[in-house]
Each structure stands twice: as structure tokens, then as C-alpha cells.
Amino acid sequence: MLNIEKIIDDVKKCKVIPENDVQELCFLAQELLIQESNIQLIDTPITICGDIHGQLHDLITLLKISRDPPHTKYLFLGDFVDRGFYSLETFLLLLCYKVRYPDRIYLIRGNHESRQITSVYGFYDECLRKYGSANVWRYCCDVFDYLALGAYIISSSGNREGVFCVHGGLSPLIDTIDEIRVIDRKQEVPHDGSMCDLLWSDPEENVPAWAVSPRGAGYLFGYTETQRFLYKNNLSLIARAHQLVMEGYKEVFDGGLVTVWSAPNYCYRCGNVAAVLTLDDSLNRQYTVFDTVLQLSDEIPSKKPVADYFL
């Protein structure tokens, strides 16, 4: 029987978890995630978290500030891995909480939860370095394929408008949330198409409708398309992550869209603060901003992370 509490404790101490335990944990997580829909229906109150990118100690700080599950219900908007030095521990900690408290923590897929991206930006190399083989990386990638594509948050107080949560943004191929529900998500992230757009697109205040993204995947979308999507889907807000925000969060388009970023001092050098967004029962927004607690000391390995792509 897998001892989840022990794994949580060991992961927080950066101890290497036995490969067999990682495999079993990933299998248990898959069994839960396969039952979830592409769009998770979640009621308030909820705390929404942006990119973590392998910054384990900052994730632990976040959980201390907002309280560990099950005391607080969480939605993480993807990009758990890559860039930081503790991608594996970060992802395993979140999986442990998911298995232990399946109705108190929700995980959706980011563009870095893919085989191709993690092969380049650190997670694959980290698993290889810690285990001497790619087996653990494969177990985790199999879990990535089952992560939901988004979430729809409803008010417990009867507020008729909802909040749509996604990692990246909108797609010109998608007009309604219901269209996302029928996507076959159980696959590697495609290079184009609606699933790709949801994970890769970005808002841009200087774009009237749609524009080609400089990322090479997804689109840039503007005020008009955001307001159209909000109206068609009876939404008060789109909450997303995917972009570094120096202040931790940024509202645009008359408050119709917010970017939440939860990795302080990104890549251990950007100097940004981080934030989480809590929605109460009436969908009122409260942002909690926090800074990194980790200094350049024995906690950080000497190996430098890949840091050439900041978009």
C-alpha cells in the first residue's frame, strides 16, 4: 500500500522517491484523472495558482500561505515542470495531494506538460540525473495526457456568471466551452488545432481580433475576442497563466481576463513576485502576492537551468 503521507514528507525534503512508488503514484493519479472531464466543474471558494515551473520551495511557501489541502481548495493552471531544479518533486507533491484529496485539488494541463517540451527545458534531464533512466519521466508524461484542459468555476451563492480557467488562452476554432468538452485530450499536445491553442495562446492588448503568436504555436487574441467569449459563455472572467507577470498578476480587457503567475523570482533570476487568486462564494477576487524564500545557497544545485525562453 502506497504511503502518501510519507511521500509528501520525503518530497518536501527533496529525498529521491523509489521508482516503484513513483510508478504506483502515477497510476493512481491516472485512475482519478481519467474520470474527469476536459472541463472540470468546480464550485467556490477556490484558490487559483499559475505556473510553478519546478520551484518546489516556492510551492511549499504558497501552500503555507494559503493553507495546505484539504483546508483550501486549489486549482493549478499547469506548467508544473521545467525551468526550475525540482520539477519532479513539484509534480509528485501535487499528485500526492490529488490522490489524497481528489475533490480539494485540481490540475489542468500546461504547454510544458508534454514530451517534446520537457525533453528540451529540463524535466527529462532531471529525471535522468536522479534515476539513471527515463522511466520516471515516461510515467509522468503518461499522467500529462490525462490532465484536464480547463475548468469552469461556478458560484456557490447562485451567481449566474461563471469563471473559465485555462493555461494559455482562446482559440479561433472554439466559440463555446462545450466545444472543448468533446476534444480528445488523451494525447501528446498537438502542434496546432484547438487543443494546442488552449495551452499556447496569449492575450495582447494591441491586437483587435487574432494574430500569429511569436511563440510558434497558438494565437494572440485581443479585447474583442475576449469579450465575445465572455458573452457567449456567460462568464465574468477568464483566468489563465502561461506568461511571466512581474507583479504576480495582471488584469486586462476591462477586468475580463487575468494572468496569474505563481513562480516568484522565475528561473532564480527574474526578480518577480508571485500571486494566487482566491474566488469567494460570490466570485469576488482576492489576490495574494508573495516573494521567494529561497536564496542562492545549498538548496539550489550548481547546474544552471535552461533559461533562453521567457515568453
Side-chain angles (χ1 to χ4, degrees):
M1 186 70 178
L2 199 62
N3 188 336
I4 297 291
E5 300 300 332
K6 183 179 187 306
I7 294 177
I8 290 174
D9 188 54
D10 286 347
V11 161
K12 287 183 175 181
K13 296 174 182 175
C14 297
K15 292 184 178 180
V16 176
I17 308 303
E19 184 178 317
N20 287 342
D21 287 352
V22 176
Q23 183 179 20
E24 186 174 351
L25 176 63
C26 287
F27 176 77
L28 291 172
Q30 274 181 248
E31 290 287 286
L32 280 171
L33 294 170
I34 197 173
Q35 300 174 48
E36 296 186 348
S37 64
N38 286 355
I39 299 293
Q40 282 296 284
L41 185 64
I42 309 172
D43 60 2
T44 53
I46 183 80
T47 294
I48 300 169
C49 310
D51 295 28
I52 303 295
H53 277 303
Q55 296 184 200
L56 174 71
H57 300 86
D58 296 316
L59 172 59
I60 293 171
T61 299
L62 184 163
L63 294 171
K64 283 181 180 176
I65 292 171
S66 297
R67 301 186 72 197
D68 286 343
H71 301 291
T72 299
K73 189 193 306 181
Y74 287 99
L75 169 63
F76 285 85
L77 300 179
D79 278 13
F80 318 114
V81 300
D82 286 338
R83 302 298 192 185
F85 293 115
Y86 300 101
S87 289
L88 179 61
E89 289 81 3
T90 296
F91 190 52
L92 294 182
L93 180 58
L94 293 172
L95 288 189
C96 282
Y97 281 130
K98 179 64 180 175
V99 170
R100 181 71 177 82
Y101 307 109
D103 296 325
R104 301 297 292 174
I105 182 166
Y106 296 88
L107 309 174
I108 68 175
R109 194 170 190 173
N111 64 305
H112 277 260
E113 276 71 60
S114 81
R115 292 162 185 81
Q116 182 178 8
I117 298 296
T118 54
S119 296
V120 176
Y121 292 104
F123 185 46
Y124 175 85
D125 291 334
E126 180 184 323
C127 292
L128 208 61
R129 188 170 68 249
K130 290 174 177 175
Y131 288 90
S133 79
N135 290 342
V136 164
W137 173 76
R138 293 190 188 97
Y139 303 148
C140 293
C141 287
D142 287 343
V143 177
F144 294 163
D145 289 344
Y146 287 88
L147 292 169
L149 300 179
Y152 179 74
I153 297 174
I154 56 172
S155 166
S156 299
S157 66
N159 189 324
R160 292 181 60 189
E161 293 184 323
V163 173
F164 174 60
C165 302
V166 67
H167 176 72
L170 304 181
S171 169
L173 301 173
I174 293 173
D175 289 323
T176 67
I177 292 174
D178 284 341
E179 292 169 16
I180 303 173
R181 300 182 197 277
V182 298
I183 295 173
D184 178 13
R185 79 174 191 267
K186 300 175 183 70
Q187 57 174 312
E188 175 72 345
V189 179
H191 294 291
D192 53 26
S194 56
M195 178 174 167
C196 171
D197 297 342
L198 293 169
L199 274 56
W200 280 93
S201 292
D202 296 296
E204 175 54 60
E205 294 182 86
N206 298 319
V207 171
W210 300 101
V212 175
S213 172
R215 295 181 186 268
Y219 290 86
L220 300 178
F221 59 96
Y223 174 89
T224 301
E225 293 305 324
T226 300
Q227 292 298 322
R228 179 178 291 138
F229 193 85
L230 290 170
Y231 177 77
K232 276 194 172 184
N233 293 277
N234 195 28
L235 301 170
S236 61
L237 177 68
I238 297 170
R240 45 90 67 177
H242 195 43
Q243 281 179 301
L244 171 62
V245 179
M246 294 302 291
E247 301 82 8
Y249 70 95
K250 182 180 181 181
E251 291 188 354
V252 294
F253 305 148
D254 296 337
L257 182 145
V258 64
T259 298
V260 181
W261 185 268
S262 302
N265 195 27
Y266 180 43
C267 288
Y268 312 110
R269 70 176 201 176
C270 284
N272 61 287
V273 295
V276 297
L277 164 61
T278 298
L279 299 175
D280 68 13
D281 285 337
S282 299
L283 298 181
N284 295 311
R285 310 171 195 178
Q286 178 183 344
Y287 296 99
T288 302
V289 176
F290 64 99
D291 206 344
T292 185
V293 295
L294 190 58
Q295 303 300 318
L296 290 173
S297 65
D298 293 338
E299 295 284 4
I300 296 182
S302 59
K303 179 178 176 293
K304 296 286 186 183
V306 179
D308 60 331
Y309 150 63
F310 283 95
L311 287 174

